[in-house]
Amino acid sequence: MGNKHHVRFEPVGIEIEVDEDQNILRAAAEQGVMLMHGCKEGQCASCKSFILDGDDVDHDRYSTFALPDFEKEEGFTLLCRAHAYEDLTIELLNYDEEMIHSGLPIQEAVAEVVSLEEVTHDLRRLVVRLIDAESFKFFPGQYVDFVVPGHEATRSFSMANTPGRDSGLLEFVIRIYPDGLFSHFLDTAVSVGDRLDVSGPFGVFTLRDAPERDLVFLGGGAGMAPILSLLRSMAERGIERKATYYYGARRKRDLCFESELTALEDKIPGFRFVPALSEPEQGEDWDGETGLITDVVRRLENDLGRTDVYVCGPPPMVEAALELLPALGVPEKRIFYDKFTTTGDADET
């Protein structure tokens, strides 16, 4: 371990201690401070902040699309890549006061594979049991990092279950990519009883307390997992906010969890599940919505001014949604999203 320094975050007035060997975001998470973040790989800019005081900061490798050189020279930083070598004062540019004090300390655990099954031709449902981690807690919508065996790399996957169901078990929906560092390993080498190293929880894709606002969930692919966790939690907690889940797939064979989601329409008053196929096959038995899922939302919704929107899926879908939603009246601060990123291969979720 290296020397430790104090980092103060403004305008929230929170101070943490950071080891030089840790990035600032990780140090905050380990101390229960939930800062806004996305990929944790220096690619998405969700954790971009500004250094008010101090300049002895080093950065791990990051994308200059997330932090252009001229911004770095002006004092901007990416907290997921930044290491402090002196005391710092940092201005948070993107933060959620409702969430920042509610962080759960990061834990490391060993997970034993309980089951692994196909839910579509390229999605797998993985269930693991945490070993000696009875106190592991997470909020619906959060994720953990899996260590890729034989590599120093980690891959992030969102829980699909809720903390209150089957304590000690974690459920994931993972898309399989032929060249994916973790997903190929999962699809070809993992068996029931195998053990994997995980750490978490991470993420701020959690349900905000705003009972006066309706909800729209917009997802695609393995983006099913965190939204399913949120919906299951709503059913368990008796939350009765009006909610619609728009889920985009290419073909009928790409749909999953349809029966459960349809059943949730009876458990959550005012809930609707709206799947859509962008490329239905000729002759396919489908009488539901068709087209890109953002086009479906555009067609069916015209005023979302009093709505919180949660978006999770592949980057093109998320980017299209972020462009569309303000035009439908959604305030930017009421749009919450997880955008999958890639680090050399395509299996992060």
Side-chain angles (χ1 to χ4, degrees), residues 3-305:
N3 295 324
K4 295 181 181 293
H5 306 283
H6 291 94
V7 174
R8 182 176 178 84
F9 300 111
E10 298 294 357
V12 295
I14 294 175
E15 188 169 298
I16 64 171
E17 192 173 64
V18 181
D19 190 280
E20 292 178 353
D21 294 337
Q22 292 178 303
N23 66 63
I24 295 172
L25 179 69
R26 175 75 186 210
E30 289 186 356
Q31 293 167 64
V33 178
M34 189 181 293
L35 302 178
M36 296 297 287
H37 64 277
C39 67
K40 305 200 311 299
E41 298 286 344
Q43 297 188 52
C44 73
S46 295
C47 65
K48 185 183 292 185
S49 302
F50 186 79
I51 301 174
L52 294 171
D53 186 43
D55 56 16
D56 196 356
V57 179
D58 196 14
H59 291 82
D60 296 326
R61 184 177 178 182
Y62 61 88
S63 168
T64 53
F65 289 102
L67 182 66
D69 291 340
F70 74 91
E71 287 191 350
K72 183 181 178 184
E73 292 174 2
E74 291 173 357
F76 290 91
T77 183
L78 298 177
L79 298 181
C80 69
R81 303 278 89 186
H83 294 256
Y85 289 90
E86 65 175 336
D87 291 351
L88 302 173
T89 301
I90 292 177
E91 180 184 7
L92 299 176
L93 305 179
N94 183 21
Y95 65 96
D96 187 329
E97 288 192 77
E98 182 181 336
M99 300 301 302
I100 198 167
H101 295 286
S102 63
L104 297 170
I106 302 305
Q107 299 183 53
E108 296 184 354
V110 176
E112 182 178 273
V113 176
V114 173
S115 65
L116 178 62
E117 60 182 319
E118 291 186 3
V119 290
T120 72
H121 67 102
D122 64 352
L123 290 179
R124 303 291 181 267
R125 177 179 179 266
L126 171 68
V127 178
V128 302
R129 176 180 289 106
L130 297 176
I131 307 299
D132 298 326
E134 295 180 0
S135 63
F136 186 89
K137 297 179 181 179
F138 67 93
F139 295 123
Q142 290 193 297
Y143 65 89
V144 296
D145 284 348
F146 280 81
V147 176
V148 184
H151 299 266
E152 294 183 359
T154 61
R155 293 294 181 265
S156 305
F157 299 101
S158 299
M159 279 72 77
N161 62 314
T162 66
R165 181 187 294 182
D166 297 325
S167 179
L169 295 180
L170 300 179
E171 175 186 356
F172 306 89
V173 180
I174 298 174
R175 185 173 181 182
I176 300 301
Y177 295 89
D179 299 321
L181 184 62
F182 183 87
S183 63
H184 179 71
F185 160 77
L186 181 72
D187 205 38
T188 60
V190 170
S191 302
V192 171
D194 288 350
R195 294 190 172 188
L196 302 167
D197 294 324
V198 300
S199 64
F202 300 100
V204 293
F205 192 72
T206 56
L207 194 65
R208 273 57 171 186
D209 184 21
E212 75 284 359
R213 300 182 66 83
D214 294 339
L215 292 163
V216 163
F217 300 98
L218 204 167
M224 171 67 72
I227 294 176
L228 191 58
S229 179
L230 293 175
L231 290 170
R232 287 170 167 173
S233 177
M234 288 177 63
E236 289 177 7
R237 295 164 58 194
I239 294 176
E240 298 186 357
R241 293 166 67 180
K242 180 182 176 183
T244 305
Y245 181 15
Y246 293 98
Y247 182 78
R250 288 186 178 180
R251 300 178 178 86
K252 193 173 180 179
R253 68 171 187 158
D254 298 313
L255 294 174
C256 57
F257 296 94
E258 292 174 274
S259 297
E260 179 179 355
L261 288 162
T262 300
L264 284 175
E265 293 181 336
D266 295 326
K267 297 178 180 179
I268 304 174
F271 172 63
R272 290 189 307 140
F273 174 51
V274 184
L277 304 184
S278 62
E279 301 175 13
E281 294 179 326
Q282 189 172 7
E284 193 167 48
D285 180 21
W286 178 254
D287 59 1
E289 298 292 336
T290 59
L292 295 175
I293 196 63
T294 46
D295 292 337
V296 173
V297 174
R298 189 194 309 272
R299 186 166 63 246
L300 299 183
E301 304 283 358
N302 52 36
D303 183 6
L304 296 177

